[in-house]
Amino acid sequence: MTSSTVSSRPLAGMFWMFAAGLSFVVMTALVKSLGTSMNSIQAAFLRYVLGLVFLLPAMRSIMATHLTPRLLTLFGLRGVVHAVAVMLWFFAMTQIPLAEVTAMNYMTPVYVTLGAALFLGEKLAFRRIAAILVALVGVLIILRPGFREVSSGHLAMLGTALTLGGSYLLAKILVRDVPPAVVVAHLSIWVTIALIPFAIAVWTQPSLRDLGVLFLVASFATAGHYFMTLALQAAPVAVTQPVTFLQLIWATILGAAVFHESVDVWVVAGGTLILAAVSFISWREFVLNRKDLTPPSIAPKL
């Protein structure tokens, strides 16, 4: 697909990213609704087990892929890294407001940009460095260390964004040899396997309500990634990225209306600053047409 083809449908791209963002926010709210009725590690495991049903259409491609020892190692490593990210994210959801989870998740593409420079040899131009520094200022605005307590939930979200960034970079290495659909499918399989021992350690009998909520979580996560794929097929990241700001708005509204969380203008301001920095990076790479660089796309990827 050429650049001209991709950039010729900006409205379609923005619509599908709008739908993706809405799906991800609903997914996050559903996890929040579980509260402390189930251990966060068990919830993460069941979300992936129930989501395996969505792999059925890709089974033929999965079975047809020849797995070398190198690919198995990379798939397994990514599964472990992503499993840590999922456990941290589910824990953070029980500790801090929806808006803070959403805003701090915006740091993932910043870590991806740094990791691509450190481990994949991508050039880190001055503008990228400046944008990363702006994003870090956004994190400081959200956390405000010294002015309020930085909780375990905040630390968990910092770890979530970091490990998700690592998972994204491993995916970029894998897609050089394996179709993207197969990479996504194997992620679900290996994360499920990696979570088994942790889930066993905290296992309690889940209620039917909790199972139903977690199946909806898996459904909305799958729908969100599908819509995001349609968005990126219709328009470049530089066009669709700003639409992801709506996720923060919806998360703030949902948190206040449904979970009675206070609206923190500092969180909104910090999240906006991080998103602006990431969007700037996307726009610059689009203008320079540097397709070899890792696109800093924002999504929960959970």
Side-chain angles (χ1 to χ4, degrees):
M1 185 175 293
T2 65
S3 299
S4 59
T5 302
V6 170
S7 60
S8 64
R9 299 171 55 220
L11 291 179
M14 293 170 71
F15 170 78
W16 288 120
M17 190 59 79
F18 174 90
L22 185 59
S23 298
F24 289 135
V25 170
V26 172
M27 174 198 73
T28 306
L30 286 168
V31 172
K32 188 76 171 179
S33 72
L34 288 172
T36 56
S37 65
M38 180 187 297
N39 185 281
S40 56
I41 294 176
Q42 183 178 343
F45 171 71
L46 288 173
R47 171 263 180 268
Y48 268 87
V49 169
L50 295 169
L52 290 177
V53 66
F54 298 109
L55 297 185
L56 294 177
M59 283 305 298
R60 180 173 296 180
S61 298
I62 296 171
M63 299 301 293
T65 302
H66 175 62
L67 295 180
T68 63
R70 174 181 174 274
L71 288 177
L72 281 172
T73 300
L74 288 173
F75 277 130
L77 177 60
R78 190 185 182 210
V80 171
V81 171
H82 206 92
V84 172
V86 171
M87 288 188 286
L88 289 172
W89 186 80
F90 270 78
F91 172 74
M93 286 299 306
T94 67
Q95 303 296 313
I96 59 177
L98 273 176
E100 296 193 27
V101 170
T102 303
M104 294 186 69
N105 188 66
Y106 286 165
M107 278 299 294
T108 297
V110 175
Y111 292 138
V112 169
T113 299
L114 284 172
L118 292 173
F119 303 111
L120 301 183
E122 294 186 4
K123 183 180 179 181
L124 198 60
F126 172 77
R127 290 183 179 85
R128 275 198 165 202
I129 296 173
I132 289 170
L133 292 176
V134 169
L136 293 176
V137 171
V139 172
L140 290 176
I141 290 174
I142 293 171
L143 296 179
R144 303 191 298 286
F147 294 92
R148 70 163 180 172
E149 179 186 0
V150 177
S151 71
S152 56
H154 295 118
L155 296 177
M157 271 312 299
L158 287 173
T160 299
L162 181 61
T163 45
L164 283 178
S167 174
Y168 189 96
L169 290 173
L170 287 168
K172 180 168 184 179
I173 295 172
L174 284 163
V175 295
R176 295 171 180 172
D177 304 311
V178 182
V182 176
V183 172
V184 172
H186 270 278
L187 176 66
S188 295
I189 295 170
W190 288 94
V191 170
T192 303
I193 294 171
L195 287 172
I196 288 175
F198 299 98
I200 290 175
V202 298
W203 189 266
T204 58
Q205 183 64 32
S207 67
L208 289 177
R209 172 194 173 274
D210 288 345
L211 290 175
V213 169
L214 287 168
F215 181 74
L216 286 175
V217 168
S219 300
F220 276 101
T222 302
H225 285 291
Y226 177 68
F227 293 149
M228 187 176 67
T229 300
L230 293 178
L232 297 177
Q233 287 176 344
V237 175
V239 173
T240 59
Q241 192 86 277
V243 181
T244 60
F245 174 73
L246 293 174
Q247 293 181 33
L248 182 55
I249 300 299
W250 292 328
T252 302
I253 294 172
L254 267 177
V258 179
F259 302 104
H260 310 293
E261 298 170 347
S262 60
V263 178
D264 191 333
V265 295
W266 293 105
V267 172
V268 176
T272 303
L273 202 58
I274 296 170
L275 178 58
V278 174
S279 297
F280 173 76
I281 293 173
S282 302
W283 174 75
R284 282 294 303 171
E285 306 314 335
F286 173 67
V287 169
L288 297 174
N289 199 29
R290 293 192 290 195
K291 297 178 182 178
D292 58 315
L293 295 183
T294 304
S297 179
I298 291 177
K301 302 176 182 68
L302 294 162

